[in-house]
Amino acid sequence: MWQKKTGLIDNVRIVQYWLTIKEQRKCFIELQNGYGSDKTSSAFQMCHFLDLWILCTKGFFEMSVLEPLLPDPENGTQLKSRAHKVSESSKDDHFEPYVILEFDPKSKQAALEWLTAKLQAPRVDGGAELLVHTNHGEEEEETVLYVGATIDRLLIGAEEARIQKAYKNGGALRDLSLTDIYNFENTDDLDSFLTSAEKQRVILKAIESIRATEDETHIPGYPKHLLYPGKSVIKKYLSRKIVTSMYPLHEEEKLKRLTNEWCMFNKYLSAQPIDTIQQYFGTKIAIYFSFLGFYTVSLIPPAMIGIIYFLYPWASMYREATFAVFNLIWTTIFLEAWKRYCNTQCFKWGVLEGSGSLSKSLEEPRADYYGTMGTNAVTGNPEPVYPKWKRVAKFYLVTVPIISICLTVAFCAMLGYFWAEHWIKKNAPQDMGFLTTLQNLLPTIVYAIAIGILNNIYRTIAAKLNKYENHRLQSSYENHLIVKLILFEFINCFICLFYVAFYLQDRALLKTFLGTVLVTQQIVGQVQEAMVPFFFMKRRQTQLEQAAKRAGDSKKGGNEAPALERQTSNGTCKVDDSFKKQAALEGLMDDCTGCNDEYLEMYIQFGYVYLFSSTFPLAALWALINNFIEIRSDAFKFCKVFRRPFTQQANSIGAWQPAFEIIGLISVITNCALIGMDPEVKKLLPSELSPVNYVLIFVAAEHIVLAIKATVAILVPDLPKWVSLQMARQEFMAKMALRKQRIIDAAQKKKVLMDAFKAKALNQMTS
Amino acid sequence: MWQKKTGLIDNVRIVQYWLTIKEQRKCFIELQNGYGSDKTSSAFQMCHFLDLWILCTKGFFEMSVLEPLLPDPENGTQLKSRAHKVSESSKDDHFEPYVILEFDPKSKQAALEWLTAKLQAPRVDGGAELLVHTNHGEEEEETVLYVGATIDRLLIGAEEARIQKAYKNGGALRDLSLTDIYNFENTDDLDSFLTSAEKQRVILKAIESIRATEDETHIPGYPKHLLYPGKSVIKKYLSRKIVTSMYPLHEEEKLKRLTNEWCMFNKYLSAQPIDTIQQYFGTKIAIYFSFLGFYTVSLIPPAMIGIIYFLYPWASMYREATFAVFNLIWTTIFLEAWKRYCNTQCFKWGVLEGSGSLSKSLEEPRADYYGTMGTNAVTGNPEPVYPKWKRVAKFYLVTVPIISICLTVAFCAMLGYFWAEHWIKKNAPQDMGFLTTLQNLLPTIVYAIAIGILNNIYRTIAAKLNKYENHRLQSSYENHLIVKLILFEFINCFICLFYVAFYLQDRALLKTFLGTVLVTQQIVGQVQEAMVPFFFMKRRQTQLEQAAKRAGDSKKGGNEAPALERQTSNGTCKVDDSFKKQAALEGLMDDCTGCNDEYLEMYIQFGYVYLFSSTFPLAALWALINNFIEIRSDAFKFCKVFRRPFTQQANSIGAWQPAFEIIGLISVITNCALIGMDPEVKKLLPSELSPVNYVLIFVAAEHIVLAIKATVAILVPDLPKWVSLQMARQEFMAKMALRKQRIIDAAQKKKVLMDAFKAKALNQMTS
């Protein structure tokens, strides 16, 4: 009966789900040793049926080899049950947890149990097929779920997530494929084949893929918290604060090594260990630090020129112009070079996909993406589908008007600030000592507070609107959010400068304004980012001690364990105490806030440095000094202050790339205008020049610089030669394989025809 | 012995080269019929061994089936020789020629024979494996080679050229693959499976792929005409005029149908049969006509507005500005829409490749691309390799300076023309009647002649430089040539207008100048393109009659045939007389000049219409009328005047796309400047505006329009949704297949290990 299943691939799959991968490995090694030694020979004697059966189903040889060995069909069933037993016995009671879910102390028991059951249920029943250990907290304490998975579950998940690993013979990265897993590097010990970051990603995906079915209309115990079919369950738990937090655990040892290499303050001038960061924190964070480093290095030439200009001031119409033109071309070179560098790194990490539209289709939709259940148009897998026109309509009819209103409010606040300052200077009584100072500072203070409040309101609105737009992919969700944030910060930070430079046309004010804002923002930023984390670390150390004390207490009361055991024995597995301790400690740490705020900070700095560079050449030097500290303080934050984040994939800095490019473009206009407006420059040009021609000269210069920028951007290919060659080679191989595959498919179809023919031919031959 | 060849693919390949595809088809059909009928049954009786052997090698069933049927190993050899005989007997003496090579009457016999031998030689010996019939001309007449190929040769060539054909079940286009050729549509009659255009392309590729080896240092009979190893032989023959021309034959019937549908002058308003054009003339020419049609339709809205403006003149500052802004946005929409439309068509035709770098690597290098023999980095196939730095060095150190000098000369000529005209108007005596007119016209006449001469010199230089740069791909070769031509024409046609518009600032002159140039050029062009072809056709008809007469004469003297036969019998095959007649007639036709001149014409027209559209709104109408005629006269040229061209692949209009886009960009600047300079507009603006602010308003307007153009270009995706979905699906299938393939490869490797194990296991079972 089971012999009928002849499809090579199908059977390999069946064996995979049925026996553990470790067992398959054992069979394979014994086979390679040729069953020659006495020890393996006896092992072979013991289970030759089983081995043979496995090998047959794997397509290693024809099923007919087994036929003479099977006296009666029942043997097959025996075999099957035996194989099953082997599979069962290999399960371990203790497991390593990778992800922690903290429940609110007040959460209902029903909701907790329902989610736990879902996490443990087989995937065919809509579960995640994970291992879960529940640690019920005492009164007023949160219940904690420790989530892990068998190696098999992790490997299958890794294959589905299309994680790329190094292939033997050359080490090129390929999508992990379980059927030839032993052709990948480092598969001798499957337990450590996947990094902890990869395991955590697989588990996160598994948890997020638990979606409500048609019958499940609300979270058990919470009739008001409705669930919609096809929508991720865990996101509802998180948004309703039933699960207060979900985070993966740090790896103490690796983290220690990384910290020593990376965020010690005596390592200012050494390169960052980007590959290690990528392995530990994932591609997205690694790209952020890589970009930060790249950008910092790129600041060195303008900073050098800035120093020279500062030390040796001379007057020439070319002085400012040369610096401005250098900066304008330099931004383009920097951004193009970064694109190449980033693509090369992503290729090495196996996250650079060839074609955009394919990788977009293969990317899983966001966990809280909703829509009616349908199928992916490319892969045919089921996934929620949301009509595009609805998203577009929401964007243009809701988002655009609301954002416009917000921006207008911010702009009006700015105008109000300048008006108030102007009014006070003119009309208010002077010579009142301290009161005068206060009076003069009043508009600035009010404006600063107003901006802070507006900023918070705006961010909330932006996040809500972005969620409301219901983007399918995490990447497009983030890009839209980034654009919203940038727009506001642009108004916030740069419009003032534009106002001073081009409306008030006050060069001196612009210079002091720019210098003050840049230096103030950087000092405030450094305090926020280096001092506050230090304080947090101190606080955490105290908490650590308290927690350790508490943990010791609960250990003393170890006699209560049976009660706990009883609670957890219901299908759940056990977890070592060391993990429990670690989870308790990391639960106290801050949630990782992602990189977008850091990018935004750099973005504003980039604007300050390049938009008005001809006015304030020292800006690059200030930025450079700031960023040298920034790298290490950000590293410290990620290693010591934040909980470990789930790794995220990325193959570029996303919407930040065009955002930086737009600053580059705008800076051409601003710098040309600034130089044109400079009275020094005006003096140096021939006086018979009419004002109109004077303007036209600068307009022409602007167009030439823009043309040079465009040419540079077009001439620099986004991919280094060797990367595009490698990618083409891989694509070529895929094409050739497709062709081969088609032949094999055709041959299989013909086989049915052949069978009849074969019998006939043999008859005719023998007769 | 031959049973050892077990690789499925290898054997199929062997059978393919060994038996004709038709024979394979026969086997397959008999197989499908189950060998049931008496007729096929007896056929089966006759050659069951052979059939079985073929089927075994095809992997339809195991080679071991044959073992009991083979009493001794010699049978295998018998079988092989018999299969060979079948293969030999199927060769036909008469064949259909697809390509004609005309030799110079004075060419040496040795060179002719050497090339003929090369054409016929097997591919393993560096030949082209084609069928050739030599028609030795009488004294003073050219010798003609008729080149054809067996169906097998054509199909193998088509597979290598990666020609895409419709696959059964859905009709999606796929690279032709011989091993499952019967899964493609229309394979019932293999003779007509490939279109004549495809066959001609395969033969052309075969002829071009004959390359000189290390030993062959010169063309036999011409010790001075050196050959370099790895360089295409036929190109040397063509460039040295030993072969005066090489062209494929028309298909009378299809051409007639196409002519009726397409280039009758009563079909002005009907759509062009683009798909038929693509099948007959190839993608490149089809894209040209598609673009011409698309562009013509796109001229309708501006032409309509032009008419309205002409009929209802009113004065308003918005009048010109509105029209200009509409035109500026319209060019962007037109170019973006064209990109989408072109991509969609190319996808339908199966020439739109996903990734650029892959298709570039797979594209065969140009026939006269030279370099040391190496291997393609992606496919591993041998091909000449030329270091990139050499090409770059040649470009920057040789091409750029020479081209710059040429452009400067053209620019000086233009200045000289204006200076001379100015000087004559001022200084020369007037009132001399006819002489005055002549005198006034003198600079124009001299300039026109000078431009004509310069143009010819420049084109020769450009072509030589382009050849010297040694581009690997035909596409990049053409793109570089196009850029060179455009640069010159730009100076030639547009710089005058810029000079008049912005240096002389003479609006009236600009308007008359533009109108005169546009209308004159179009009338001259139409005469050249519609009248001259008509004259050619007339001339050809006379020649036809003469040729027919001559052909009749030679037929009467048919008794000489044995002598001719003797000459050709030496391994060459015969050709029907009808083909000889046709070849003789088509030999008299003009060589196809390609589409670049037509594109250039459109390009200049595009410039005239949009660069200064605010001055001369009727330009679009003139262009529209011209293009309606142009479509049909170009069609007439391709169908009736030119020899049939070899089909060429293309998936866009190549360098013309950015060239048109650049005109679009420049037109923003020119139009803003023109409107700004318009005294009418100046009057309508508030008079208190300072001149500088007046200029700044237009600069701002220009930037806004540029921003809108950029936004439109970015927002419109290059591929329609359904095309990118289809492509992603295909790529996904390729990836899945690669994965499957890897499993099968792994299984094959393991098979060696298995054999030992299998024997052992069986032993242990039975003992």
Side-chain angles (χ1 to χ4, degrees), chain B residues 494-515:
Chain B
F494 299 139
I495 283 291
C496 295
L497 297 172
F498 279 94
Y499 186 80
V500 173
F502 300 115
Y503 189 81
L504 303 181
Q505 301 207 359
D506 187 340
R507 287 182 71 78
L509 181 61
L510 179 64
K511 195 166 182 171
T512 50
F513 201 83
L514 188 60

Side-chain angles (χ1 to χ4, degrees), chain A residues 749-764:
Chain A
K749 273 180 215 155
K750 280 170 194 162
K751 217 170 185 177
V752 180
L753 277 173
M754 281 308 114
D755 284 340
F757 170 75
K758 200 156 126 186
K760 209 170 185 176
L762 280 170
N763 269 343
Q764 286 185 347

Side-chain angles (χ1 to χ4, degrees), chain A residues 114-115 118 126 207-214 216-219 225-237 239-240 365-373 383-386 394 467-468 470-471:
Chain A
W114 185 66
L115 185 64
K118 276 270 181 191
I207 296 175
E208 283 183 340
S209 67
I210 300 172
R211 286 166 195 277
T213 60
E214 297 282 346
E216 296 154 350
T217 52
H218 60 85
I219 296 175
H225 294 179
L226 298 179
L227 291 169
Y228 302 100
K231 215 177 158 182
S232 174
V233 167
I234 189 72
K235 289 276 165 178
K236 202 76 184 177
Y237 270 76
S239 66
R240 297 298 175 182
R366 286 168 56 234
D368 50 4
Y369 174 67
Y370 60 90
T372 51
M373 272 315 245
E383 66 169 45
V385 172
Y386 188 77
K394 282 176 170 182
K467 217 171 188 177
Y468 171 70
N470 192 26
H471 298 278

Side-chain angles (χ1 to χ4, degrees), chain B residues 551-624:
Chain B
D553 287 352
S554 74
K555 225 177 189 175
K556 274 178 205 156
N559 300 342
E560 296 169 34
L564 236 160
E565 213 76 320
R566 189 160 26 81
Q567 282 178 316
T568 61
S569 64
N570 185 22
T572 61
C573 309
K574 279 171 272 173
V575 154
D576 285 342
D577 276 347
S578 63
F579 288 116
K580 291 188 185 174
K581 215 190 271 178
Q582 194 195 340
L585 299 182
E586 290 182 16
L588 300 172
M589 291 163 89
D590 284 342
D591 217 15
C592 179
T593 52
C595 304
N596 276 344
D597 285 337
E598 322 289 331
Y599 274 118
L600 197 58
E601 208 177 304
M602 262 202 278
Y603 181 71
I604 293 165
Q605 189 197 69
F606 186 79
Y608 285 142
V609 171
Y610 289 108
L611 277 180
F612 301 94
S613 55
S614 55
T615 324
F616 186 44
L618 269 186
L621 181 66
W622 286 113
L624 181 66

Side-chain angles (χ1 to χ4, degrees), chain A residues 591-605:
Chain A
D591 218 13
C592 178
T593 52
C595 304
N596 276 344
D597 285 337
E598 322 288 331
Y599 274 119
L600 197 58
E601 207 178 302
M602 262 201 279
Y603 180 71
I604 293 165
Q605 188 197 70

Side-chain angles (χ1 to χ4, degrees), chain A residues 28 31 34 44 60 69 167 174 179 355 358 377 702-703 728-729 731 742-743 750 754 760 764-765, chain B residues 31 34 44 60 69 167 174 179 355 358 362 377 702-703 728-729 731 742-743 750 754 760 764-765:
Chain A
F28 186 70
L31 215 64
F44 172 72
F60 287 164
L69 315 178
Y167 207 68
R174 290 186 180 179
T179 37
S355 149
L358 176 64
E702 186 224 329
H703 281 85
R729 206 177 289 151
E731 209 185 322
R742 239 186 284 146
I743 299 161
K750 280 170 194 162
M754 281 308 114
K760 209 170 185 176
Q764 286 185 347
M765 286 304 110
Chain B
L31 215 65
F44 171 72
F60 286 164
L69 315 178
Y167 206 69
R174 289 187 181 178
T179 37
S355 150
L358 177 64
L362 291 185
E702 186 223 328
H703 281 86
R729 206 178 290 149
E731 208 185 322
R742 238 186 286 146
I743 299 161
K750 281 171 194 163
M754 281 308 114
K760 208 168 186 177
Q764 287 185 345
M765 286 305 109

